[in-house]
């Protein structure tokens, strides 16, 4: 498991600045954090993950504390799923530059296979919050509660669309994971991970059926297990028959991978 965390540098991004509101213009995406600031919680963290529904690649969780006021109003910030790849990259750079604190946690496929998706997902979100420096006073999670944070928390339905800090965390997680999947694509280009990022698509499933799973595929997913079993059965058919006869040089069948 890898953890990356960046504390804020001295100056306007410090923890004290997080509780000083200099811009109260109405904006729904910042309403929840503004309300918590006024109630005495200067550092409000959002936490979210990327890759939970993918059948290949790691799970990435991120946490983020944005400063109050104008500096915390990241241009173009929105739920990462609503942004283009280019827009996500721009927002990512803004979030990293402006955040009071942010962290990213990457859980490899081996952890997901060993412990199951829900357990590892909760653990990743928890570790992302713990890695914040300075730490959060209050935590907003996306959709479901994350126990064991030892601080006030609130699970927010569609949090990445209604709370700025959760949207920021979603961008951090998504961009980090997409970059990782580009590296995975370089190792196994036949699956076209650069396009679908490990999610199940018709083209991805077709590649799974043709080549079988690679080490980055999650063995607990039904389509991955089906492709693995089909390739195992195909191997037995090719090598397990006692009636096989060596009748000359083998030639590739037209259309089959070599």
């Amino acid at each position: 498991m890898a953890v990356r965390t960046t504390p804020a540098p001295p100056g306007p991004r410090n923890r004290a600045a997080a509780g000083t509101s200099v811009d109260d213009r109405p904006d729904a995406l910042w309403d929840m954090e503004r309300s918590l600031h006024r109630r005495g919680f200067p550092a409000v963290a959002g936490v979210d993950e990327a890759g939970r529904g993918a059948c290949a690649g790691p799970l990435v969780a991120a946490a983020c504390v944005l400063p109050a006021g104008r500096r915390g109003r990241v241009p173009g910030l929105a739920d990462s799923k609503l942004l283009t790849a280019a827009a996500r990259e721009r927002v990512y750079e803004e979030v990293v530059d402006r955040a009071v604190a942010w962290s990213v946690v990457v859980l490899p496929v081996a952890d997901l296979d060993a412990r199951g998706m829900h357990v590892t997902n909760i653990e990743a979100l928890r570790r992302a919050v713990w890695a914040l420096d300075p730490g959060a006073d209050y935590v907003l999670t996306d959709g479901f509660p994350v126990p064991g944070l030892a601080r006030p928390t609130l699970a927010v339905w569609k949090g990445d669309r209604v709370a700025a800090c959760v949207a920021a965390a979603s961008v951090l997680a998504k961009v980090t994971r997409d970059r990782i999947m580009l590296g995975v694509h370089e190792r196994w280009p036949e699956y076209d991970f650069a396009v679908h990022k490990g999610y199940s698509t018709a083209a991805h499933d077709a590649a799974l059926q043709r080549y079988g799973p690679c080490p980055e595929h999650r063995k607990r997913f039904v389509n991955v297990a089906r492709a693995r079993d089909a390739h195992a059965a195909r191997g037995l058919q090719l090598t397990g028959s006692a009636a096989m006869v060596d009748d000359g040089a083998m030639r590739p069948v037209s259309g089959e991978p070599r």
Side-chain angles (χ1 to χ4, degrees):
M1 177 184 294
V3 178
R4 179 182 180 184
T5 179
T6 301
R13 296 179 222 174
N14 64 19
R15 187 182 180 114
T20 304
S21 178
V22 296
D23 184 4
D24 281 333
R25 291 174 301 172
D27 190 323
L29 192 61
W30 280 265
D31 281 348
M32 192 170 295
E33 283 149 281
R34 186 164 50 242
S35 176
L36 288 167
H37 292 160
R38 290 169 176 167
R39 292 169 185 246
F41 299 102
V44 180
V47 60
D48 201 4
E49 87 288 316
R52 183 173 56 185
C55 67
L59 178 74
V60 178
C64 185
V65 178
L66 294 174
R70 292 178 184 174
R71 184 158 183 80
R73 293 176 182 269
V74 178
L77 179 62
D79 172 11
S80 63
K81 295 184 291 296
L82 302 179
L83 300 173
T84 65
R88 280 195 299 268
E89 288 285 346
R90 290 193 298 270
V91 172
Y92 175 94
E93 296 301 331
E94 290 284 351
V95 169
V96 168
D97 179 61
R98 294 165 180 255
V100 173
W102 62 277
S103 66
V104 171
V105 173
V106 180
L107 271 70
V109 170
D111 287 6
L112 303 176
D113 285 341
R115 304 181 64 192
M117 180 55 63
H118 184 67
V119 171
T120 48
N121 190 30
I122 293 295
E123 181 68 13
L125 296 170
R126 191 183 292 127
R127 287 175 180 262
V129 173
W130 288 344
L132 289 172
D133 182 18
D137 300 307
Y138 201 102
V139 179
L140 300 176
T141 65
D142 183 28
F144 53 85
V146 178
L149 294 178
R151 50 182 54 81
T153 66
L154 178 66
V156 182
W157 178 247
K158 293 187 180 296
D160 46 10
R161 300 193 183 191
V162 301
C165 58
V166 181
S170 78
V171 170
L172 292 173
K174 174 65 174 169
V175 170
T176 299
R177 188 176 187 278
D178 283 357
R179 292 175 178 178
I180 291 171
M181 294 309 295
L182 292 178
V184 173
H185 174 81
E186 292 297 318
R187 296 182 66 186
W188 291 285
E190 61 269 28
Y191 300 97
D192 214 8
F193 289 123
V195 174
H196 53 68
K197 306 301 190 297
Y199 288 88
S200 295
T201 65
H204 189 184
D205 283 342
L208 261 175
Q209 291 302 316
R210 184 177 186 184
Y211 301 110
C214 77
E216 285 293 330
H217 281 101
R218 302 176 185 178
K219 298 179 179 64
R220 288 174 177 256
F221 274 66
V222 172
N223 59 334
V224 175
R226 185 184 300 122
R228 178 198 61 205
D229 293 345
H231 268 254
R234 197 174 307 160
L236 287 174
Q237 290 173 357
L238 291 173
T239 63
S241 173
M244 286 185 67
V245 176
D246 185 357
D247 57 356
M250 295 181 66
R251 297 180 176 85
V253 178
S254 176
E256 286 293 308
R258 287 183 271 180

